[in-house]
């Protein structure tokens, strides 16, 4: 029984280490404003000359120097690989949630803030409203943070 518990704890620890690396990779891409996926992306980690998108390519690069990532990419050992576009979207969603939470805390602490709303038509002729917040931080410096785009209905 103790051996089974040890094996389970080791698996949980390994998965946590993998997730930390994957979330950190997503964080770097998001901070740099880089897209995660390309047009011909495969989670199969195929030929070396195939571009598999920034997320997978960054993980492959990390795997050259990190044994945990390398082992997971070459032999995941389970059906859960965290490499699919669904997993990438979950990483992005989690980072967005944390970012909005942080912005919310700054705005709550600010003495003054304003809401900025603007409408623009994107390249596909979709009318979108942009929502941003402007506030004054603790040092008295004005800060502006983009919150989101909202697609506007026709009419």
């Amino acid at each position: 029984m103790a051996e089974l518990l040890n094996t389970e704890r080791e698996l949980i620890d390994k998965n946590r280490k993998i997730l930390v690396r994957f979330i950190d990779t997503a964080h770097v891409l998001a901070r740099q404003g880089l897209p995660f996926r390309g047009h011909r992306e495969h989670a199969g980690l195929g030929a070396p000359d195939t571009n598999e998108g920034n997320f997978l390519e960054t993980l492959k690069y990390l795997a050259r120097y990190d044994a945990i990532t390398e082992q997971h990419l070459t032999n995941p050992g389970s059906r859960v690989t965290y490499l699919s576009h669904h997993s990438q979207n979950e990483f992005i969603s989690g980072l967005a949630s944390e970012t909005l939470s942080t912005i919310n805390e700054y705005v709550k602490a600010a003495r003054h803030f304003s809401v900025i709303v603007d409408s623009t038509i994107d390249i596909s002729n979709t009318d979108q409203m942009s929502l941003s917040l402007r506030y004054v931080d603790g040092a008295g410096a004005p800060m502006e943070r983009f919150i989101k785009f909202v697609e506007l209905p026709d009419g």
Side-chain angles (χ1 to χ4, degrees):
M1 184 67 161
E3 187 176 317
L4 185 59
L5 286 175
N6 270 348
T7 303
E8 186 175 345
R9 283 188 193 119
E10 288 173 8
L11 181 60
I12 289 170
D13 185 53
K14 177 186 166 198
N15 284 338
R16 280 191 179 130
K17 288 177 180 177
I18 291 165
L19 279 173
V20 164
R21 285 154 173 80
F22 283 29
I23 291 168
D24 284 349
T25 300
H27 188 236
V28 167
L29 294 175
R31 285 189 57 90
Q32 295 301 99
L34 295 171
F36 280 54
R37 297 185 291 274
H39 293 291
R40 293 193 175 99
E41 163 186 291
H42 309 285
L45 302 166
D49 61 338
T50 312
N51 185 339
E52 297 179 309
N54 290 331
F55 184 75
L56 293 176
E57 290 293 331
T58 303
L59 288 173
K60 283 175 22 182
Y61 185 75
L62 176 63
R64 293 171 57 188
Y65 305 98
D66 179 60
I68 293 171
T69 305
E70 193 269 337
Q71 193 271 335
H72 181 76
L73 294 180
T74 57
N75 184 21
S78 75
R79 294 187 317 197
V80 180
T81 62
Y82 310 112
L83 297 174
S84 73
H85 66 278
H86 299 293
S87 293
Q88 292 176 42
N89 286 343
E90 285 188 40
F91 296 144
I92 293 167
S93 179
L95 290 170
S97 178
E98 284 298 311
T99 300
L100 286 174
S101 178
T102 301
I103 292 170
N104 187 37
E105 292 302 314
Y106 286 135
V107 171
K108 282 181 181 179
R111 294 188 68 190
H112 307 285
F113 74 94
S114 63
V115 178
I116 304 167
V117 179
D118 195 8
S119 174
T120 185
I121 296 176
D122 70 9
I123 195 166
S124 67
N125 284 331
T126 302
D127 196 11
Q128 293 184 340
M129 174 184 70
S130 68
L131 176 64
S132 299
L133 294 175
R134 184 177 286 166
Y135 59 94
V136 179
D137 71 5
M143 305 297 288
E144 187 171 310
R145 298 290 182 245
F146 170 77
I147 303 299
K148 68 177 180 177
F149 284 116
V150 177
E151 188 174 325
L152 296 173
D154 291 337

